[in-house]
Amino acid sequence: MSRFFKFIGKAALFILIFAVIVRIISVMGASGEDLILEDTIAVVRLEGVIMDTHYLDEKLKTLDENDKVKGVILEINSPGGAIAPTQQLYLRIMKMHKPVYAVMETVAASGGYYTAVACDKVYAMESTITGSIGVIMEYTNFRGLMDKFGVQSVVIKSGKMKDVPSPTRELSEEEQQYLQGNINDFYEQFLRDILKRRKIDEKKLRELADGRVFSGRQAQKLGLIDAIGTREEAEEAMKKQLDMPDIEVEEFYPPEQSVLRSLMSKAKTLAATEGVDGGIYYLYKPGL
């Protein structure tokens, strides 16, 4: 009998130690998917201007590699952003081996739409702002102000296009054509990737892709999205596709930032999209 109680005691101690280890890992910040013990639909989020997508890209990759994750829902509230990070998310979603649904919220325009269109099914609310298919570059020219105060800019460069666009002088016709060529190339990439995913006539798409925005209801009628609905409808549709009506749904959002880090991140985003940098973006930016 004493051996039996000793065995029970050792088993209880082992369970306690295991539970403590799991708790320590969780507290220390181990990713939630590492601790998934049952089949799950994972919910991830794309929020704000698309600039640094490293966290979301890695999260999607990890979820795709986890056999317990049967599908992913991507919530999107973004006006778009930088070209390369936007395409990075598009390509990541295209590589995934399990269903991915997009749920558009307040805005999913330009790069936000670019990301959504990679998903297997796209939901939006009737009032969602989407579309804005196109490319934009903006910079400020200080030439007049500099002339007024007698300030000159001196540039030494290795090639004639090295400082284009310059905030201190007007563009030549050749420089304008050079920049327009770049814009057109990124625009064609945008259209190409939409056509890979949407059953829409190319001629019709080109007519729509002049930068205009659409409501979710308009986008559905035009074939730019699949359905009107919120995350709830997306969850139910994915459960039906998986034939798993009781599957768990779990959120995998980025860890909360400190107030200082959050402010620094927002300042960096603002500087990148509002500053005089001549950047090229898939970005919905009204009021220009």
Side-chain angles (χ1 to χ4, degrees), residues 18-274:
F18 178 79
V20 170
I21 292 173
V22 170
R23 178 59 180 167
I24 291 174
I25 293 174
S26 177
V27 171
M28 290 179 66
S31 55
E33 61 271 18
D34 291 338
L35 302 175
I36 293 177
L37 300 177
E38 56 187 339
D39 293 338
T40 301
I41 292 174
V43 181
V44 293
R45 186 168 185 82
L46 174 60
E47 179 79 34
V49 177
I50 302 171
M51 296 299 294
D52 181 1
T53 57
H54 178 75
Y55 176 85
L56 183 54
D57 180 67
E58 287 297 315
K59 179 66 68 176
L60 289 170
K61 182 176 184 292
T62 305
L63 292 171
D64 193 39
E65 293 170 348
N66 192 315
D67 292 336
K68 288 296 182 181
V69 177
K70 302 302 181 181
V72 176
I73 292 177
L74 174 61
E75 298 174 329
I76 301 177
N77 188 34
S78 170
I83 286 176
T86 299
Q87 289 188 339
Q88 183 179 8
L89 288 179
Y90 176 94
L91 293 173
R92 170 58 59 201
I93 295 168
M94 291 286 285
K95 293 175 184 176
M96 295 183 70
H97 301 90
K98 53 196 63 175
V100 183
Y101 291 2
V103 178
M104 298 176 169
E105 298 181 344
T106 303
V107 58
S110 203
Y113 177 71
Y114 199 142
T115 304
V117 82
C119 299
D120 300 295
K121 191 171 289 188
V122 183
Y123 288 81
M125 296 183 293
E126 288 187 331
S127 58
T128 297
I129 295 174
T130 188
S132 189
I133 300 168
V135 187
I136 189 169
M137 168 187 279
E138 179 193 13
Y139 75 100
T140 303
N141 191 307
F142 294 106
R143 175 66 182 273
L145 185 63
M146 292 172 67
D147 289 344
K148 183 176 181 180
F149 288 95
V151 179
Q152 292 185 339
S153 173
V154 178
V155 178
I156 300 172
K157 53 187 179 179
S158 59
K160 61 182 180 180
M161 296 298 179
K162 187 61 179 175
D163 67 335
V164 178
S166 172
T168 63
R169 61 179 177 80
E170 300 295 332
L171 290 173
S172 68
E173 184 176 344
E174 182 183 10
E175 290 169 340
Q176 290 180 6
Q177 292 176 355
Y178 158 69
L179 290 177
Q180 189 64 55
N182 286 335
I183 296 292
N184 292 346
D185 184 40
F186 291 124
Y187 175 72
E188 290 298 325
Q189 293 175 40
F190 199 159
L191 297 187
R192 174 202 65 196
D193 288 343
I194 293 174
L195 291 170
K196 286 180 182 177
R197 301 297 287 167
R198 304 301 307 178
K199 294 179 180 179
I200 184 171
D201 179 72
E202 182 176 346
K203 182 179 178 181
K204 178 182 178 182
L205 176 61
R206 288 185 179 277
E207 292 173 354
L208 300 175
D210 61 358
R212 74 184 73 181
V213 296
F214 308 98
S215 68
R217 183 166 61 178
Q218 291 171 326
Q220 184 190 25
K221 291 179 180 178
L222 293 168
L224 296 175
I225 68 168
D226 295 294
I228 298 298
T230 62
R231 173 176 146 183
E232 183 178 357
E233 282 71 37
E235 288 177 4
E236 291 305 312
M238 184 170 285
K239 289 178 180 179
K240 185 175 181 180
Q241 178 182 341
L242 297 171
D243 194 22
M244 303 175 75
D246 299 320
I247 190 172
E248 292 294 316
V249 179
E250 187 171 350
E251 297 172 347
F252 294 88
Y253 293 160
E256 292 186 6
Q257 296 180 329
S258 66
V259 175
L260 179 59
R261 182 177 289 274
S262 179
L263 289 174
M264 290 176 64
S265 177
K266 290 179 180 179
K268 182 180 179 181
T269 298
L270 183 64
T273 56
E274 298 290 346

